[in-house]
């Protein structure tokens, strides 16, 4: 059944999935606005790949509901699949085929196939279309898989660790392509990556997954504007156990406390700090710092 | 467009399957050799097909199923053949993909069986020799053959050696050799085997797709194969021993396969219909399981 949700390309409600008794996702709720580049972050084993596979319709959730472009992805028709490009974490391409043959093979399945884009990307990535997939380097195979996902001109592009095997130059080219694509067509890009500097460069929304649940999901600018590290110091007396509700992380250092928390308005701290007889200092965090603070207590 | 997609997917599957046609071709060659020397009776055929079946299980499951199904380790190249992630994340129709994959599976399984049918056309009849001595079928069995195989007939041939005579030599006594000729019985055996093989392949495919739900069953399968494969090799040796023993110890029991073949010939319509129903149901179940399959690898 198709339900129209014009605002969101991806909607997940209380989605759980486990494998042989081990929970990969626990009641994950996620909304990805249309036309955004959504950076999906999480440590190894956080459940990113499972979430992406569910969104791509490759596996089913044990419970909860998923809507991708208004449709349950496990019920995707071929027409639905034409609208969703997917690059998996360990994309294994038909290794016996030559690059050109593989692209030619896939083209007829997609009415929106952009051959000009294919030619441009092959040249840009310096990939010889006469070579077999099996003789390409890991990075080049990844680039071919990326071209396949992009050439269909999807409405939604799902990228699982797309740049993990690319060198710095290839990664930069790849990011430029994503930005170009967004400028031209405005598709939604859902991107998971360990390389936070990449996410910071391209994403406008960010979600941080830890222990199978989404800890944070919001525009990147807002995240960086509001999640701060606050140094509490100059206590009149030993603060003992110091707890601030909603803090992502607290750490004691001598008579000081470093607390990572959301600070919508610095004035919100004035009252409590006065009652503790302390002073505070707000420090800005970059995305990597925020990610570490939010996900450092995830169960390995 | 739809036809083009079917052809494209069939071509893709054929490309993957090409290297795995080695085993069916080897078995087809064996069947040709055994047929040429007229040693391919039912028991030998069963033993050969048992061995072939074991190898089919090893080599084919990956084409229908995905990496890790049975816990086997494999390299990237093989994973590329097995994984469902690539085809399932493309705009390929899963039903069409199943059709192409399944067609290639049946094609490869059928190679030795169709070869047997073709080879049997060179020697379509079966001859059962009746000697007075040991190893000869009993009169009751002879009667069974004559009654249950259409066109079966007793044949007497003069097997006296044609030695050159010279003055004073004693004339050789005539040596008449009796046999029962079963017209087209070898071809009928081959066709029956082909039909049973196709039914077996359909059931095997359904079983494998069914076991994807149950990890414990997937783990049991390799253990089962560990017993079946040596069992098949031993069966081949046993057939040779039994055959030799029969030459010396009388033959008063009708082989089970001959009895089964006689039943299949006499009830060919029922046999065809039951087979068709089984194949239809098995394919329907397999396709449904495949279409609803998760790409876990």
């Amino acid at each position: 059944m198709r339900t129209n949700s014009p605002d969101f390309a991806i909607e997940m409600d209380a989605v759980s999935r486990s494998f042989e008794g081990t929970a990969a996702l626990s009641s994950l709720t996620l909304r990805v606005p249309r036309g955004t580049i959504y950076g999906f972050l999480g440590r190894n084993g956080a459940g990113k790949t499972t979430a992406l596979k569910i969104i791509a319709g490759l596996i089913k959730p044990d419970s909860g509901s998923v809507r991708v472009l208004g449709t349950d992805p496990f019920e995707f028709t071929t027409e639905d699949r034409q609208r969703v490009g997917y690059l998996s974490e360990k994309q294994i391409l038909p290794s016996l085929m030559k690059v050109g043959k593989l692209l030619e093979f896939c083209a007829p399945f997609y009415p929106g196939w952009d051959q000009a884009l294919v030619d441009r990307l092959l040249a840009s990535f310096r990939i010889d279309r006469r070579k077999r997939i099996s003789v390409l380097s890991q990075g080049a195979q990844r680039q071919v898989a990326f071209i396949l996902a992009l050439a269909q001109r999807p409405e939604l592009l799902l990228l699982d660790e797309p740049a993990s095997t690319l060198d710095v130059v290839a990664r930069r080219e790849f990011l430029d392509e994503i930005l170009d694509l967004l400028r031209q067509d405005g598709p939604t890009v859902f991107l998971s990556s360990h390389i936070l500097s990449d996410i910071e460069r391209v994403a406008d929304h960010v979600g941080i997954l830890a222990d199978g649940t989404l800890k944070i999901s919001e525009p990147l600018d807002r995240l960086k504007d509001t999640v701060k590290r606050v140094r509490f110091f100059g206590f009149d007396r030993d603060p003992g156990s110091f707890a601030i509700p909603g803090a992502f992380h607290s750490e004691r250092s001598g008579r000081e406390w470093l607390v990572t928390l959301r600070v919508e308005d610095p004035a919100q701290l004035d009252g409590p700090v006065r009652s503790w007889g302390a002073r505070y200092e707000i420090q800005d965090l970059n995305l990597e710092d925020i990610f570490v603070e939010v996900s450092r207590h995830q169960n390995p | 467009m739809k036809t083009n997609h079917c052809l494209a997917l069939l071509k893709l599957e054929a490309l993957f399957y090409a290297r795995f046609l080695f085993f069916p071709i080897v078995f087809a060659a064996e069947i040709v050799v055994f047929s040429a020397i007229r040693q391919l009776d039912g028991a030998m055929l069963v033993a050969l097909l048992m061995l072939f079946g074991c190898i089919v299980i090893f080599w084919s499951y990956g084409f229908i199923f995905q990496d890790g199904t049975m816990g086997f380790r494999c390299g990237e190249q093989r994973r590329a053949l097995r994984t469902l992630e690539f085809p399932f994340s493309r705009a390929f129709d899963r039903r069409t993909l199943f059709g192409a994959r399944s067609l290639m599976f049946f094609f490869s399984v059928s190679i030795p069986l169709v070869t047997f049918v073709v080879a049997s056309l060179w020697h379509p009849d079966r001859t059962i020799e009746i000697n007075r001595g040991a190893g000869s079928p009993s009169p009751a069995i002879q009667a069974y053959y004559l009654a249950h195989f259409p066109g079966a007939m007793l044949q007497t041939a003069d097997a006296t050696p044609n030695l050159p005579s010279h003055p004073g030599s004693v004339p050789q006594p005539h040596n008449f050799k009796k046999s029962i000729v079963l017209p087209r019985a070898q071809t009928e055996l081959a066709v029956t085997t082909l039909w049973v093989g196709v039914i077996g392949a359909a059931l095997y495919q359904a079983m494998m797709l069914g076991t994807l739900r149950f990890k414990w069953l997937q783990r049991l399968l390799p253990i089962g194969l560990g017993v079946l494969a040596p069992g098949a090799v031993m069966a081949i040796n046993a057939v040779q021993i039994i055959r030799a023993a029969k030459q010396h110890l009388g033959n008063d029991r009708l082989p089970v396969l001959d009895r089964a073949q006689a039943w299949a010939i006499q009830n060919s319509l029922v046999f065809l219909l039951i087979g068709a129903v089984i194949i239809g149901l098995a394919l329907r179940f397999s396709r449904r399981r495949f279409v609803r399959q998760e790409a876990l690898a």
Side-chain angles (χ1 to χ4, degrees), chain A residues 17 20 53 57-60 74-75 78 81 86 88 91-97 105 108-110 134, chain B residues 1 5 8 12 15-16 19 77 79-80 85-86 88-94 215 292 294-297:
Chain A
R17 173 70 202 229
E20 295 184 37
K53 284 192 170 194
L58 295 174
I59 59 177
K60 279 186 287 190
F74 205 75
E75 305 294 335
T78 49
R81 291 223 166 269
Y86 174 65
S88 83
Q91 185 83 71
I92 302 170
L93 299 172
S95 56
L96 295 172
M97 286 179 119
F105 168 75
F109 290 92
Y110 298 96
S134 55
Chain B
M1 182 61 85
H5 289 182
L12 181 75
L15 175 76
F16 291 160
R19 64 169 70 179
Q77 295 267 330
R79 279 194 68 202
E85 191 176 82
F86 176 75
F88 277 15
S89 59
R90 308 295 122 186
F92 303 159
D93 177 52
R94 286 195 185 189
K215 283 251 182 240
R292 304 293 301 169
E294 294 185 317
L296 292 167

Side-chain angles (χ1 to χ4, degrees), chain B residues 110-191:
Chain B
S110 303
I111 286 175
L113 303 176
V114 171
T115 304
F116 182 33
V117 174
V118 173
S120 73
L121 296 176
W122 268 269
H123 303 292
D125 303 341
R126 268 182 70 196
T127 305
I128 297 158
E129 289 191 8
I130 306 168
N131 309 313
R132 289 212 179 93
S136 180
S138 65
I141 292 176
Q142 291 175 34
Y144 186 91
Y145 278 119
L146 291 169
H148 290 85
F149 283 80
M153 56 188 170
L154 266 171
Q155 199 176 56
T156 309
D158 188 354
T160 312
N162 192 14
L163 299 173
S165 60
H166 50 83
S169 62
V170 180
Q172 289 288 316
H174 280 278
N175 178 18
F176 292 106
K177 204 173 173 184
K178 275 186 163 180
S179 57
I180 298 173
V181 177
L182 309 176
R184 300 181 308 281
Q186 190 70 358
T187 304
E188 282 161 354
L189 174 68
V191 172

Side-chain angles (χ1 to χ4, degrees), chain B:
Chain B
M1 182 61 85
K2 192 81 175 167
T3 313
N4 289 345
H5 289 182
C6 290
L7 288 174
L9 290 175
L10 197 56
K11 212 170 142 186
L12 181 75
E13 295 298 324
L15 175 76
F16 291 160
Y17 235 103
R19 64 169 70 179
F20 288 90
L21 293 180
F22 173 75
F23 291 117
I25 289 169
V26 165
F27 275 90
E30 275 192 60
I31 280 173
V32 168
V33 170
F34 276 108
S35 293
I37 60 174
R38 309 193 81 160
Q39 287 290 311
L40 197 61
D41 61 7
M44 176 57 84
L45 182 70
V46 166
L48 266 178
L49 291 179
M50 266 177 75
L51 191 59
F52 177 58
C54 290
I55 291 173
V56 163
I57 292 171
F58 270 116
W59 120 95
S60 68
Y61 79 91
F63 290 97
I64 314 166
F65 323 109
Q66 57 188 23
D67 173 47
T69 303
M70 286 155 59
F72 291 129
R73 288 174 183 276
C74 59
E76 284 291 293
Q77 295 267 330
R78 282 196 165 189
R79 279 194 68 202
L81 302 176
R82 292 173 179 181
T83 184
L84 292 175
E85 191 176 82
F86 176 75
F88 277 15
S89 59
R90 308 295 122 186
F92 303 159
D93 177 52
R94 286 195 185 189
R95 284 180 174 77
T96 311
L97 181 69
F98 171 75
R101 198 163 277 210
S102 191
L103 193 64
M104 283 312 298
F105 171 65
F106 278 93
F107 170 71
S108 60
V109 168
S110 303
I111 286 175
L113 303 176
V114 171
T115 304
F116 182 33
V117 174
V118 173
S120 73
L121 296 176
W122 268 269
H123 303 292
D125 303 341
R126 268 182 70 196
T127 305
I128 297 158
E129 289 191 8
I130 306 168
N131 309 313
R132 289 212 179 93
S136 180
S138 65
I141 292 176
Q142 291 175 34
Y144 186 91
Y145 278 119
L146 291 169
H148 290 85
F149 283 80
M153 56 188 170
L154 266 171
Q155 199 176 56
T156 309
D158 188 354
T160 312
N162 192 14
L163 299 173
S165 60
H166 50 83
S169 62
V170 180
Q172 289 288 316
H174 280 278
N175 178 18
F176 292 106
K177 204 173 173 184
K178 275 186 163 180
S179 57
I180 298 173
V181 177
L182 309 176
R184 300 181 308 281
Q186 190 70 358
T187 304
E188 282 161 354
L189 174 68
V191 172
T192 308
T193 308
L194 172 63
W195 188 235
V196 171
V198 173
I199 295 169
L203 288 173
Y204 162 70
Q205 192 180 51
M207 182 196 79
M208 289 298 282
L209 281 159
T211 58
L212 285 177
R213 273 190 184 177
F214 310 106
K215 283 251 182 240
W216 61 273
L217 261 178
Q218 293 167 25
R219 287 177 188 137
L220 269 184
L221 210 55
I223 300 167
L225 284 176
V227 176
L228 272 180
V233 174
M234 283 194 286
I236 288 181
N237 291 328
V239 164
Q240 303 286 3
I241 293 165
I242 291 165
R243 183 180 286 148
K246 275 183 178 174
Q247 299 299 319
H248 297 284
L249 306 169
N251 184 8
D252 59 352
R253 292 184 67 188
L254 183 71
V256 175
L257 278 167
D258 285 355
R259 198 187 292 271
Q261 190 186 347
W263 182 89
I265 291 167
Q266 288 183 331
N267 303 283
S268 51
L269 192 63
V270 177
F271 185 49
L272 273 173
L273 279 176
I274 290 174
V277 169
I278 291 172
I279 291 169
L281 290 174
L283 283 179
R284 202 174 150 189
F285 170 81
S286 304
R287 189 177 69 174
R288 209 172 55 209
R289 291 289 309 134
F290 184 82
V291 167
R292 304 293 301 169
Q293 180 55 36
E294 294 185 317
L296 292 167

